[in-house]
């Protein structure tokens, strides 16, 4: 059972960030099962569900963002493709918080 469930406006980020360091210090992989969220603890595990086609993916929060008003989550390009919104810029997804790390992963950007 998820710890929390909510809907959020989601975008994706890809090539411009591929190979760049994320907030956790790991290298961003635009095909990895990862996402950026402004406030969830780094290392949190969430299931993202596209309610239009019922596709879902389990991702790990390893970065901060998005920094655009009205958006609450940035998934990797690969996750967007698997969820069926790689061609669209923004979609409303359901987020299910599955796990929060017992010890928060440090934010290497601070």
């Amino acid at each position: 059972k998820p710890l929390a469930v909510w809907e959020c406006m989601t975008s994706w980020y890809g090539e411009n960030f591929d190979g760049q360091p994320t907030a956790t210090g790991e290298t961003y992989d635009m095909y990895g099962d990862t996402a950026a969220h402004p406030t969830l603890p780094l290392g949190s595990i969430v299931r993202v569900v596209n309610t239009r086609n019922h596709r879902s993916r389990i991702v790990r929060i390893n970065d901060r963002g998005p920094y655009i008003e009205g958006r609450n989550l940035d998934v990797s390009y690969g996750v967007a493709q698997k969820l069926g919104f790689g061609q669209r810029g923004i979609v409303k997804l359901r987020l299910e918080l599955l796990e929060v790390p017992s010890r928060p992963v440090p934010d290497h950007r601070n």
Side-chain angles (χ1 to χ4, degrees):
K1 184 175 178 287
L3 303 171
V5 177
W6 67 98
E7 288 195 334
C8 67
M9 294 310 290
T10 304
S11 48
W12 57 265
Y13 63 136
E15 278 185 64
N16 295 351
F17 297 92
D18 199 42
Q20 299 294 315
T22 64
T24 59
E26 64 195 90
T27 301
Y28 175 66
D29 173 3
M30 64 186 268
Y31 296 103
D33 286 335
T34 58
H37 189 275
T39 58
L40 279 174
L42 293 171
S44 294
I45 305 296
V46 297
R47 178 183 290 119
V48 286
V49 182
N50 184 341
T51 54
R52 287 171 173 252
N53 61 18
H54 305 289
R55 292 190 200 169
S56 69
R57 201 83 196 155
I58 292 177
V59 302
R60 186 170 43 86
I61 304 297
N62 74 337
D63 209 357
R64 291 293 176 217
Y67 299 106
I68 297 170
E69 187 69 34
R71 296 190 200 171
N72 315 102
L73 187 74
D74 254 346
V75 296
S76 73
Y77 173 73
V79 169
Q81 291 289 94
K82 290 167 188 157
L83 294 180
F85 76 98
Q87 303 308 313
R88 302 173 55 149
I90 307 171
V91 71
K92 186 185 279 188
L93 295 183
R94 187 174 76 231
L95 246 72
E96 300 173 0
L97 180 59
L98 301 179
E99 190 181 314
V100 174
S102 52
R103 259 198 250 137
V105 176
D107 189 332
H108 289 275
R109 294 195 175 149
N110 291 340

